[in-house]
Amino acid sequence: MFRTTISKAARPTLASAQIPRGIRGLKNINFGGSVETVHERADWPREKLLNYFKNDTLCLTGYGSQGYGQGLNLRDNGFKTIIGVRENGSSWKAAVEDGWVPGENLFPILEAVKRGTIVMNLLSDAAQSETWSQIKPLLTEGKTLYFSHGFSPVFEKLTHVDPPKNIDTIMVAPKGSGRTVRSLFKEGRGINSSFAVWNDVTGKAEEKAVALAIAIGSGYVYETTFQKEVYSDLYGERGCLMGGIHGMFLAQYEVLRENGHTPSEAFNETVEESTQSLYPLVGKHGMDYMYDACSTTARRGALDWYPVFKDTLKPVFQKLYASVRSGAETKRSLEFNSQSNYREELNKELDTIRNMEIWRVGKEVRKLRPENN
C-alpha cells in the first residue's frame, strides 16, 4: 500500500526533558491564513521560571490524570509543589507511591489550598462543583486560581463555580491526557497547550499563565478563551477523538464481519492498519503526506469517498456542537458523575466495550506484533 517508509526519529534522553536554557523572541505563525502568536519553551528558560515562581507554592488539588502529570513535571523541574487530595483515599495512596510525602508536600485538600499561593484546581469536573463552597473562601487576595479546563467557570449556572473577582484566574489546558503530559516531558519533548485568562487583577495574569504552561511541560502554547476551550474540548472528545472514531471503527468492523470476513481480518483492516500505519503518518507529516504515501488505488478511493463521509457526518457534528454550547453535555456529565454509584454504572458501560468482539480480537492481534514477541 505504501510507496515510502518513514525512519523512526531517535528519542532524546530523559536528561533533556529539563527546560532549555536558550531564549528567543515570540513567533507569529500563519495558521492557514490566520496569524497567531505562539509561545515556546525557549521563551522561558528554567532559571527564569524558577526565579519567577521563587516565592510561590504551587498547590495541585486532585491527583487524577492531570494532577499526576503536571505535579510530577513541576516537582522534577524544581518548583515548590504540593498536592491536595482526600486523605487516605485512592489518590492519596497513588501520590504516596509516586514519592509525595504526607505532611511535607501531600496534604488534605483544604489544608493544601490554604498553603498554596497558586491553586491549581485539577479535581474532576464533578468534584470541583462539590468542593467549591469549601475551597472558595480560602482563595484569598493575592492568590492565583488555575484551571486546566474551562468547564467549571463557563458553566457556572450548573457547576456553581464562580471564581473570586479579586484574584487572577487563569487556565492552561494541555492537549492530551496527564499521562501524555508526563511521558512527553520524560522524552524531552513537550505537549502543546492552550492558555486563557478569566480574571486579570494584577496585570500579569497572561504572563503567569504562559509561564505555568511551560513549567508543567508544554512545548508550545497558544491563546484561547475559557469558553472556546471547553466548547472545543467537549466537542472533540465526543467527536473525532473518542466517540466518533469509536463509532466509525465499530460500523466498519461490523459490516466486514457481516460479509464473511474473519475477526482478525476485520480488525486489521479497521484498527490495526489505521493506528499502526496510517494515523502515525498523518500525525507526523499530515493528511496530504499520507495520501501521497499510499497506492494510486487507495488514493482514488479515498478521494471519492471522503466527501461522502463529510457530507453525511457534518449534520451530526453540528448537532453535537449545539449540544455542547447549550450546556446539555455539561448537565449530562454532572448528573451522571455526581451519582453515588457512578463508578459502578460507568464500569458497566466500559465492560460492554471491553467485551466487544472487536476489542477482544485487538488484544490477540497486539500480542502478535514483533515488539511483543
Side-chain angles (χ1 to χ4, degrees):
M1 186 174 187
F2 296 105
R3 297 185 309 170
T4 59
T5 58
I6 297 176
S7 61
K8 185 177 180 181
R11 290 183 175 178
T13 62
L14 178 57
S16 65
Q18 299 300 318
I19 299 165
R21 298 174 182 271
I23 189 167
R24 53 124 192 96
L26 302 182
K27 284 184 178 178
N28 290 322
I29 300 179
N30 189 319
F31 292 98
S34 178
V35 177
E36 298 180 38
T37 299
V38 173
H39 303 262
E40 294 183 343
R41 262 192 315 198
D43 302 328
W44 285 88
R46 184 167 179 265
E47 292 80 1
K48 179 181 176 180
L49 280 171
L50 290 172
N51 184 65
Y52 189 83
F53 293 114
K54 64 183 178 182
N55 297 320
D56 286 302
T57 297
L58 307 181
C59 160
L60 293 85
T61 60
Y63 201 67
S65 176
Q66 288 298 334
Y68 157 84
Q70 295 187 36
L72 290 177
N73 289 358
L74 287 169
R75 190 178 72 182
D76 285 357
N77 266 334
F79 300 98
K80 185 177 180 181
T81 309
I82 62 176
I83 301 294
V85 291
R86 183 168 57 86
E87 194 169 13
N88 295 321
S90 58
S91 293
W92 180 280
K93 294 173 184 176
V96 170
E97 290 176 2
D98 288 337
W100 300 95
V101 181
E104 181 179 317
N105 52 22
L106 176 61
F107 302 93
I109 293 175
L110 299 184
E111 178 63 25
V113 173
K114 290 177 185 176
R115 291 171 176 263
T117 59
I118 298 176
V119 178
M120 304 170 71
N121 196 337
L122 301 179
L123 294 165
S124 69
D125 295 324
Q128 287 186 22
S129 181
E130 292 166 3
T131 59
W132 183 247
S133 63
Q134 296 172 288
I135 289 177
K136 184 179 178 181
L138 305 178
L139 299 173
T140 52
E141 191 170 353
K143 295 196 176 192
T144 296
L145 177 60
Y146 166 112
F147 294 96
S148 279
H149 192 18
F151 187 98
S152 292
V154 169
F155 294 109
E156 183 216 330
K157 291 181 179 179
L158 293 169
T159 64
H160 308 296
V161 176
D162 54 333
K165 299 186 185 303
N166 63 337
I167 66 172
D168 287 348
T169 301
I170 59 178
M171 176 182 69
V172 175
K175 300 298 105 180
S177 75
R179 301 285 163 178
T180 308
V181 172
R182 181 62 176 161
S183 64
L184 291 181
F185 173 85
K186 290 171 69 176
E187 291 174 12
R189 299 160 64 191
I191 198 163
N192 70 79
S193 301
S194 60
F195 77 92
V197 174
W198 184 270
N199 287 335
D200 185 4
V201 175
T202 64
K204 296 183 177 180
E206 180 175 319
E207 178 182 73
K208 203 181 306 180
V210 174
L212 281 168
I214 303 303
I216 67 166
S218 302
Y220 75 88
V221 191
Y222 61 92
E223 187 173 9
T224 186
T225 67
F226 273 66
Q227 187 180 66
K228 288 179 180 177
E229 186 280 332
V230 72
Y231 286 178
S232 61
D233 190 73
L234 295 180
Y235 174 74
E237 289 167 348
R238 286 151 178 76
C240 289
L241 300 179
M242 294 176 67
I245 197 67
H246 188 198
M248 284 191 65
F249 280 159
L250 290 176
Q252 177 166 309
Y253 180 88
E254 288 175 4
V255 169
L256 285 170
R257 293 288 287 123
E258 289 161 5
N259 281 276
H261 297 268
T262 64
S264 63
E265 183 174 52
F267 183 85
N268 279 314
E269 290 297 331
T270 299
V271 179
E272 193 75 351
E273 187 168 355
S274 61
T275 60
Q276 299 305 297
S277 297
L278 299 178
Y279 293 172
L281 293 183
V282 177
K284 190 169 185 178
H285 297 287
M287 183 68 73
D288 51 344
Y289 181 94
M290 189 271 281
Y291 270 75
D292 286 340
C294 293
S295 68
T296 55
T297 300
R299 285 203 298 266
R300 181 67 267 148
L303 289 169
D304 289 344
W305 277 91
Y306 87 78
V308 179
F309 280 101
K310 192 208 81 168
D311 292 344
T312 302
L313 291 171
K314 189 170 181 179
V316 177
F317 278 94
Q318 289 171 327
K319 181 179 179 181
L320 169 57
Y321 192 86
S323 183
V324 167
R325 188 162 61 180
S326 71
E329 296 301 310
T330 296
K331 185 172 184 290
R332 162 72 171 152
S333 294
L334 287 173
E335 288 177 348
F336 181 85
N337 295 330
S338 297
Q339 295 174 10
S340 59
N341 65 338
Y342 91 94
R343 289 187 185 277
E344 292 83 355
E345 294 301 312
L346 177 63
N347 275 325
K348 289 179 184 177
E349 293 185 78
L350 293 176
D351 278 340
T352 299
I353 294 176
R354 295 181 188 113
N355 291 319
M356 288 178 176
E357 182 186 88
I358 183 175
W359 304 120
R360 287 189 286 111
V361 172
K363 288 182 181 180
E364 299 307 313
V365 170
R366 286 190 293 276
K367 293 176 183 178
L368 300 175
R369 292 176 186 169
E371 66 268 24
N372 293 328
N373 289 308

